[in-house]
Amino acid sequence: MDIKVIGIDIAKRYFQVHGINATGGVVLRRKLTRDRFLKLFGEMPPCIVGLEAGSGAHHWARELAKLGHDVRLMPPQFVKPYVKTNKNDAADAEACCEAVQRPGMRFVPTKTIEQQAAMALHRVRDHLISRRTATINALRGHLAEYGVVAQVQRTGLRQLFDLVLDDQDQSLDPTLKPVLRMLVDEIVSMDARISDLDRRVKDAARDSEACRRLVEIPGIGPLIATAVTAAVSDETRFSSGRHFAAWLGLTPRQHSSGGKERLLGISKRGDAYMRRQFVNGARSLVRIADGRSGGLWDWINALLQRRSFNVVTVAVANKLARVAWAIQARGTRWKPA
């Protein structure tokens, strides 16, 4: 078969393939199982392969690249406009085949196994933190039904732990405490797992020269440094620090028309996890900026005089992202003003 471009819609068990020749004629339209998928592409001559950057896409991109194909991953939101009529697997594969040929299409670099492993460490940690927060809220909610309310943060949580684990205390129903102890045990277990992941992140940051340069920036610690090094392994992916900040969703969303420029709030596009980490790092700087002097601190305090705390936090997060990209891409070090 004279196939030049192939669009693939990947799923859990089946893959829909749509191929065209040099003149644009459809020469391949097939539904394949996982076992037959790589076998078919191993028998084909090298061609352009387009697929959405979804779950499992980076794995299949690496496997297809080993077979000599030119694999290009695309953001799903950029492929969606090319879906004709109703949405189904065949239409999605055809849309991928059409979108991958557009000159202005934006592509997602294929992640290496090491990059995915580094980000998995962050994702698992974030998942455990979400579960721990939900369990703590459940414990507080059950005790509030009995009129037991404690302070926020760790101090109040320790008071609730002591109440649930104290066998001599009779303020609660005896049949309730064994049930609540399950929640306490789960919180303690997740605390230990999160602490272990924190140690792994710190060890990874300590072993990386790029991370050691990034942690010198105020507001950036091992967590942000390891995430940035995993995301910005290719310095040519972003043209500037502002481009990187826009990818994180930290730049204003634009809604302009007729030559009238109109900027709204931040777009919140891109990687929500990394954006949240940069905002948290910026918030830690803004909180301690009062009374400090210097290039960075003077700029933050000047912003605080005319903008709200949250607006200044996002502005500082944007600045941190731009500086982090510059240091990562150029191999330089942080120079305090």
Side-chain angles (χ1 to χ4, degrees), residues 5 8 77 191 240 258:
V5 182
I8 305 174
Q77 64 269 27
D191 275 338
S240 64

Side-chain angles (χ1 to χ4, degrees), residues 44-113:
M44 291 182 182
C47 58
I48 298 176
V49 179
L51 64 158
E52 295 179 340
S55 177
H58 292 276
H59 165 73
W60 293 114
R62 290 192 297 266
E63 294 298 321
L64 293 174
K66 293 177 183 178
L67 300 175
H69 299 285
D70 181 10
V71 186
R72 303 177 185 180
L73 300 179
M74 299 168 290
Q77 64 269 27
F78 294 159
V79 178
K80 185 177 180 181
Y82 296 94
V83 178
K84 301 175 182 176
T85 64
N86 298 319
K87 183 187 183 307
N88 52 61
D89 292 346
D92 290 343
E94 183 178 358
C96 290
C97 184
E98 179 69 25
V100 76
Q101 302 176 69
R102 298 302 95 201
M105 178 56 62
R106 299 178 181 178
F107 300 105
V108 178
T110 303
K111 289 185 173 63
T112 63
I113 296 177

Side-chain angles (χ1 to χ4, degrees), residues 158-229:
R158 176 53 58 185
Q159 296 173 359
L160 299 181
F161 280 9
D162 295 339
L163 176 64
V164 173
L165 299 176
D166 187 2
D167 295 329
Q168 305 300 324
D169 184 87
Q170 302 297 325
S171 60
L172 296 177
D173 191 314
T175 61
L176 177 65
K177 283 192 174 184
V179 178
L180 297 183
R181 283 173 185 166
M182 296 180 185
L183 297 180
V184 172
D185 293 341
E186 186 175 354
I187 295 171
V188 173
S189 174
M190 283 187 286
D191 275 338
R193 295 178 181 178
I194 294 171
S195 298
D196 179 63
L197 292 176
D198 287 339
R199 286 191 295 269
R200 292 173 182 263
V201 171
K202 292 179 181 178
D203 292 341
R206 192 181 304 112
D207 296 338
S208 172
E209 169 61 24
C211 290
R212 290 197 296 269
R213 287 187 281 106
L214 287 174
V215 296
E216 296 175 356
I217 306 173
I220 292 183
L223 202 65
I224 299 178
T226 52
V228 170
T229 53

Side-chain angles (χ1 to χ4, degrees), residues 11 25 33 49 103 122-123 182-183 191-192 215 226 232-233 253 289 304:
T33 61
V49 179
H122 289 264
R123 302 300 184 187
M182 296 180 185
L183 297 180
D191 275 338
V215 296
T226 52
V232 197
S233 59
R253 184 164 56 92
L304 286 173

Side-chain angles (χ1 to χ4, degrees), residues 298-308 312:
D298 291 343
W299 177 68
I300 294 176
N301 288 322
L303 286 178
L304 286 173
Q305 293 178 1
R306 60 181 189 272
R307 293 291 186 269
S308 65
V312 175

Side-chain angles (χ1 to χ4, degrees), residues 242 245-246 248-254 263-270 275-276 279 310-318:
R242 182 175 174 80
L248 293 175
L250 290 171
T251 54
R253 184 164 56 92
Q254 191 177 38
L263 299 180
L264 308 177
I266 59 174
S267 65
K268 295 185 179 180
R269 298 168 182 165
R275 179 173 64 251
R276 184 170 71 250
V279 170
N310 289 334
V311 172
V312 175
T313 297
V314 173
V316 175
N318 184 302

